[in-house]
């Protein structure tokens, strides 16, 4: 019988250790279970992670394809790579920014690092980003602005120690089942409050559910802060000792009653949240906050609540919940939003250091991060290289995104057939979970190994090999080998982070072999990161009666210009597309249990029926339109025919659709947060129509 191989689940960002085993004969994964020795999950595992690792329903890619005479034809690897490389080279020769590269939170750290090295160091294009910007960019920007560095200060260790748990704009019961088990177990003797317009599975399991109007979370956060101020529940000692900007925030703060009315909630709900945050509280948030034109300001407002209440120490704090398995890895490895280790793009010293490490001219490296994924396509790139991502289905205003991609030469690198591979000019079949070597980084900053438990199928190559081969052909000195050892790539990346706020230089494959998982920052082989920014208590310090600093000797340090955390002053703005007589309903989108990464692993070759959750009263109001519980949902950008599921947990006047169904984003807005460039996926105006035919895009 084959041996069990320890690895890390790549479904979501909890980062559970798995054991995988191949069959005695042939290839593939025969069995998967949680790894009881892994320090992150200690044997826990969710059914979706196990099922999608062992037996994904996706339509596998097993042969390179090249489009000839309008049809994708089987090709050799050399033919496919030659075609792809030549088109990349030709476009680059005319203008480096005519080449667009789109990465993914499904890549290993090593593949993400290598792709960034090719995009920024080999091609020198501004037009490089990853699908993680579509879900995490607002949280990233908020963390940078508030703390001077990205990633949560909290860790999983803090869950058990919290006195209150507030889940705001997230549904971990569905999206992160193992994490939610920890939260719900910890909340057995405390309290769990969920903030969500919809009565989600998480809300059902909570002690209290607060339901603001869709998109009005910023107003609610300001109402809670105003209530805390009015009732003298601000941690003034912490605010004085460790923050800047609180007085400026107070000068712009609306009164609690006015802000609550804007948010569509009563003062009892405001008080419930204020009371929870007056305890030692963990505040978790997700896509319901980030995917909004004010996503950064709203995430900042949630962070403000933790700062104002002194909730920035073990057992409390602001915890953004990451979706994709290696979204955090793209943030520290891939050079999309910062150079490795969160080195700033605009810092000339960092650019020189990276250029020297990569052996490329410093003026080849872009000095800004580019326009973001939506902006990249809007610029009309000549060639698009998409790696482990499905922009045809995953971009907002998807019909427009498809048109933009159809106008380009598309190289699609993936493990499964997707809507993007259907329109691609070159398709490169890549290895998937259980077939790849490398590392991944979970949402609490912990790096662990990804290992292959089976041989590769014929015709399939690892992402890292494909990227390094193309990179070597485009820029011969960029990699030492066109098939690099993942451990050597990791060592190169880790070395570039030395001395940074995201220092991984103390992590190596040898260390991971012994410890299994190490949390950054880890500046040397004996250190592993814990709660960030909190320096602890100096028990030898004598209280200063004339000082407003904490009297127990606690201290904090932040990598900001002043060394303090920063408050913000954002205020609720109107939604970018409010309802009106022509489009009287609000569409919102969220993740289903099997809805990761446009669902290509879980929905097979066909997407299946699009199911809309709608309140029974709203359905009855449109009864004359419905046929066999089917309706067409129409926005100003497109339409989709849906099967109706009557659901009293969805507010009246709302249509709920799964975000990763390929038809959903035909309806959504391409408006973006101006600070993070993350699209506004969550609220737009729609109407219902008869389902007899798919309607054309509606005119204004």
């Amino acid at each position: 019988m084959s041996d069990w191989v320890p690895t890390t689940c790549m479904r979501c960002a909890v980062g559970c250790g798995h054991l995988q085993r191949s069959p005695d004969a042939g290839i593939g994964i025969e069995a998967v279970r949680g790894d009881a020795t892994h320090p992150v999950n200690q044997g826990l595992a969710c059914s979706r992670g196990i099922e999608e690792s062992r037996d994904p329903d996706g339509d596998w890619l097993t042969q390179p394809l090249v489009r000839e005479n309008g049809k994708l034809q089987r090709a050799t690897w050399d033919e496919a790579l030659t075609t792809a490389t030549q088109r990349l080279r030709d476009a680059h020769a005319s203008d480096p920014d005519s080449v667009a590269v789109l990465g993914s939170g499904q890549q290993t750290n090593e593949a993400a690092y290598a792709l960034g090295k090719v995009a920024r160091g080999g091609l020198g294009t501004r037009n490089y980003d990853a699908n993680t910007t579509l879900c995490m960019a607002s949280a990233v920007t908020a963390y940078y602005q508030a703390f001077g560095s990205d990633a949560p200060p909290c860790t999983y260790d803090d869950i058990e120690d919290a006195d209150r748990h507030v889940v705001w704009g997230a549904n971990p019961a569905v999206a992160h089942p193992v994490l939610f088990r920890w939260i719900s177990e910890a909340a057995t003797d405390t309290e769990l409050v969920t903030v969500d317009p919809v009565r989600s599975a998480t809300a059902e399991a909570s002690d209290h559910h607060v339901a603001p109007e869709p998109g009005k979370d910023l107003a609610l956060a300001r109402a809670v802060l105003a209530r805390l101020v009015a009732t003298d529940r601000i941690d003034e000692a912490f605010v004085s000792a460790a923050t800047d900007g609180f007085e400026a925030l107070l000068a712009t703060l609306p009164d609690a009653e006015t802000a609550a009315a804007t948010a569509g909630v009563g003062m009892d709900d405001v008080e419930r949240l204020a009371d929870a945050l007056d305890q030692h509280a963990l505040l978790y948030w997700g896509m319901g906050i980030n995917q909004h034109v004010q996503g950064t300001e709203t995430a900042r407002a949630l962070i403000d609540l933790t700062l104002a209440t002194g909730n920035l120490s073990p057992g409390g704090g602001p915890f953004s919940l990451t979706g994709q398995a290696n979204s955090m890895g793209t943030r520290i490895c891939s050079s999309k939003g910062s150079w490795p280790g969160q080195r700033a793009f605009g810092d000339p010293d960092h650019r020189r250091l990276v250029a020297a490490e990569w052996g490329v001219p410093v003026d080849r490296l872009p000095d800004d991060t580019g326009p973001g994924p939506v902006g990249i396509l809007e610029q009309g790139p000549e060639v698009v290289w998409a790696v482990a991502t499905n922009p045809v289905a995953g971009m907002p205003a998807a019909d427009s995104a498809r048109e933009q991609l159809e106008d380009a030469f598309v190289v699609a690198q993936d493990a499964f057939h997707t809507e993007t591979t259907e329109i691609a000019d070159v398709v490169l079949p890549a290895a998937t979970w259980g077939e790849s070597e490398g590392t991944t980084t979970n949402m609490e900053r912990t790096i662990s190994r990804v290992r292959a438990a089976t041989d590769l199928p014929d015709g399939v190559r690892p992402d890292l090999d494909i990227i390094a081969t193309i990179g070597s052909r485009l820029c011969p000195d960029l990699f030492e080998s066109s098939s690099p050892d993942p451990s050597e790539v990791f060592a190169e990346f880790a070395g570039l982070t030395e001395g940074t706020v995201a220092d991984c230089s103390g992590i190596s494959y040898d260390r991971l072999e012994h410890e299994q998982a190490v949390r950054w920052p880890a500046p040397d082989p004996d250190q592993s990161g814990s709660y960030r920014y909190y320096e602890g208590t100096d028990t030898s310090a004598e209280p200063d009666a004339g000082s407003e600093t904490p009297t127990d000797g606690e201290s904090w340090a932040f990598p900001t210009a002043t060394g303090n955390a920063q408050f913000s002053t954002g205020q609720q703005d109107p939604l970018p597309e409010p309802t009106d007589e022509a489009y009287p309903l609000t569409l919102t989108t969220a993740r289903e249990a099997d809805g990761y990464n446009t669902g290509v692993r879980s929905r097979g070759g066909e997407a299946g029926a699009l199911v809309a959750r709608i309140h029974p009263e709203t359905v009855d109001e449109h009864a004359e339109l419905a046929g066999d519980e089917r309706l067409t949902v129409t926005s100003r950008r497109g339409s989709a025919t849906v099967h109706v599921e009557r659901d009293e947990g969805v507010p009246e006047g709302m249509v709920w659709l799964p975000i990763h169904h390929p038809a959903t984003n035909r309806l959504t807005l391409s408006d973006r947060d101006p600070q993070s460039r993350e699209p506004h996926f969550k609220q737009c105006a729609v109407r219902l129509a008869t389902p007899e035919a798919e309607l054309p895009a509606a005119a204004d």
Side-chain angles (χ1 to χ4, degrees):
M1 182 175 291
S2 60
D3 294 332
W4 289 99
V5 175
T7 187
T8 306
C9 180
M10 291 293 287
R11 183 174 190 270
C12 80
V14 174
C16 295
H18 274 188
L19 294 173
Q20 297 182 350
R21 190 175 67 197
S22 64
D24 292 335
I27 60 174
I29 303 298
E30 179 182 65
V32 180
R33 70 187 190 200
D35 184 353
T37 69
H38 198 280
V40 168
N41 59 310
Q42 299 176 346
L44 292 177
C46 74
S47 60
R48 295 306 309 183
I50 289 175
E51 291 166 8
E52 291 184 24
S53 298
R54 180 187 61 217
D55 189 24
D57 291 332
D59 188 2
W60 298 76
L61 294 169
T62 59
Q63 176 79 26
L65 304 171
V66 174
R67 191 171 297 277
E68 295 180 0
N69 299 320
K71 294 184 178 181
L72 286 171
Q73 308 287 349
R74 293 166 68 92
T76 67
W77 267 102
D78 186 63
E79 290 169 341
L81 289 169
T82 297
T83 302
T85 305
Q86 189 59 52
R87 292 302 296 262
L88 286 163
R89 183 181 292 115
D90 291 347
H92 178 263
S94 63
D95 178 4
D97 292 337
S98 69
V99 177
V101 181
L102 300 175
S104 168
Q106 284 296 295
Q107 299 171 269
T108 62
N109 290 321
E110 294 77 7
Y113 172 77
L115 186 66
K117 187 175 182 180
V118 174
R120 301 300 200 189
L123 296 166
T125 182
R126 291 179 65 250
N127 289 326
Y128 163 58
D129 215 300
N131 57 18
T132 56
T133 296
L134 302 176
C135 55
M136 293 307 301
S138 294
V140 169
T141 306
Y143 277 138
Y144 270 119
Q145 292 178 356
F147 301 135
S149 174
D150 176 29
C154 326
T155 75
Y156 298 156
D157 296 335
D158 299 306
I159 295 173
E160 186 177 2
D161 295 332
D163 295 324
R164 295 290 186 274
H165 300 267
V166 179
V167 178
W168 199 315
N171 189 12
V174 165
H176 305 100
V178 171
L179 174 71
F180 187 67
R181 177 170 172 176
W182 296 330
I183 294 172
S184 57
E185 287 179 350
T188 300
D189 298 321
T190 58
E191 186 174 86
L192 171 59
V193 183
T194 293
V195 182
D196 196 316
V198 174
R199 189 160 183 82
S200 65
T202 300
E204 288 282 359
S206 300
D207 299 289
H208 304 288
H209 174 212
V210 177
E213 290 186 10
K216 300 299 178 65
D217 299 273
L218 180 50
L220 177 55
R222 290 312 190 208
V224 175
L225 181 56
R227 177 65 178 168
L228 288 165
V229 171
T231 52
D232 296 322
R233 287 180 283 181
I234 302 300
D235 189 334
E236 296 181 1
F238 172 80
V239 169
S240 175
T243 73
D244 296 324
F246 190 60
E247 292 301 320
L249 171 54
L250 289 179
T252 64
L253 193 65
D255 66 85
E257 290 78 6
T258 300
T262 300
V265 302
M267 284 303 297
D268 54 342
D269 282 333
V270 172
E271 173 57 31
R272 182 167 287 118
L273 286 166
D275 178 67
L277 290 161
D278 191 36
Q279 317 294 318
H280 213 45
L282 276 172
L283 197 167
Y284 316 82
W285 79 88
M287 303 309 103
I289 298 301
N290 296 336
Q291 291 176 330
H292 191 288
V293 289
Q294 288 188 281
T296 298
E297 289 182 319
T298 308
R300 288 291 303 276
L302 299 187
I303 293 172
D304 288 344
L305 288 172
T306 67
L307 296 178
T309 55
N311 269 305
L312 205 73
S313 60
F319 202 155
S320 66
L321 302 182
T322 308
Q324 288 191 78
N326 201 29
S327 178
M328 185 66 72
T330 68
R331 289 148 72 173
I332 62 169
C333 294
S334 72
S335 302
K336 79 175 188 71
S338 64
W339 302 117
Q342 299 186 13
R343 296 183 183 275
F345 257 67
D347 188 315
D349 291 335
H350 288 318
R351 291 178 74 244
R352 283 191 290 268
L353 186 150
V354 172
E357 177 64 35
W358 289 350
V360 301
V362 69
D363 59 2
R364 182 182 296 173
L365 302 183
D367 56 9
D368 70 78
T369 60
V374 177
I376 285 172
L377 294 189
E378 288 178 345
Q379 292 188 1
E382 185 176 338
V383 178
V384 177
W385 179 13
V387 180
T389 188
N390 185 15
V392 170
M395 289 284 192
D399 287 349
S400 176
R402 184 185 183 102
E403 291 173 4
Q404 291 156 351
L405 286 161
E406 286 176 336
D407 288 340
F409 186 92
V410 175
V411 179
Q413 179 175 323
D414 213 312
F416 299 99
H417 283 285
T418 71
E419 287 73 20
T420 302
T421 65
E422 288 178 4
I423 69 164
D425 299 281
V426 176
V427 177
L428 304 175
T432 185
W433 315 343
E435 301 171 353
S436 302
E437 295 285 336
T439 59
T440 187
T441 313
N442 74 0
M443 72 173 79
E444 61 146 9
R445 300 176 272 117
T446 295
I447 295 175
S448 58
R449 281 296 312 277
V450 174
R451 293 181 176 87
T454 182
D455 293 333
L456 283 173
D458 291 339
V460 172
R461 293 188 181 183
D463 273 325
L464 178 59
D465 283 14
I466 300 170
I467 293 163
T469 298
I470 292 176
S472 296
R473 293 188 180 193
L474 292 170
C475 189
D477 297 326
L478 201 60
F479 296 95
E480 292 185 4
S481 167
S482 60
S483 184
D485 186 306
S487 67
E488 295 176 358
V489 175
F490 184 87
E492 180 179 312
F493 148 72
L496 261 177
T497 70
E498 184 175 3
T500 69
V501 292
D503 196 330
C504 298
S505 61
I507 306 176
S508 66
Y509 273 41
D510 285 343
R511 183 177 181 185
L512 292 173
E513 192 70 31
H514 292 97
E515 299 182 34
Q516 295 184 280
V518 180
R519 188 185 300 120
W520 64 262
D524 63 57
D526 298 318
Q527 284 188 266
S528 179
S530 56
Y531 200 102
R532 303 176 79 198
Y533 315 127
Y534 179 68
E535 296 185 323
T537 302
D538 181 1
T539 57
S540 66
E542 290 292 331
D544 182 352
S547 172
E548 293 186 8
T549 59
T551 57
D552 56 5
E554 289 185 300
S555 64
W556 292 260
F558 303 90
T560 61
T562 65
N564 288 334
Q566 305 295 305
F567 279 100
S568 68
T569 58
Q571 301 297 308
Q572 182 75 55
D573 290 338
L575 294 178
E577 190 179 65
T579 58
D580 56 22
E581 290 186 5
Y583 296 90
L585 305 177
T586 297
L587 170 68
T588 195
T589 64
R591 183 176 285 130
E592 291 183 305
D594 62 351
Y596 268 91
N597 312 309
T598 66
V600 296
R601 296 185 72 89
S602 55
R603 59 178 166 86
E606 299 295 330
L610 177 59
V611 177
R613 294 163 55 191
I614 307 175
H615 193 281
E617 293 290 338
T618 304
V619 177
D620 290 343
E621 289 172 5
H622 296 81
E624 75 281 2
L625 302 175
D628 298 323
E629 293 295 282
R630 293 171 65 246
L631 286 165
T632 292
V633 182
T634 303
S635 76
R636 290 180 171 87
R637 289 151 297 283
S639 62
T641 297
V642 304
H643 288 261
V644 174
E645 177 183 325
R646 295 169 180 256
D647 188 343
E648 293 184 352
V650 175
E652 293 183 44
M654 176 185 284
V655 176
W656 184 103
L657 289 178
I659 192 170
H660 290 308
H661 191 286
T664 295
N665 283 325
R666 299 181 65 195
L667 311 175
T668 53
L669 289 164
S670 60
D671 294 57
R672 280 143 278 170
D673 181 312
Q675 300 179 68
S676 68
R677 299 189 292 273
E678 182 164 348
H680 185 99
F681 283 106
K682 293 303 179 191
Q683 300 89 29
C684 68
V686 297
R687 66 189 180 209
L688 299 179
T690 55
E692 280 77 17
E694 193 77 4
L695 301 178
D700 287 331

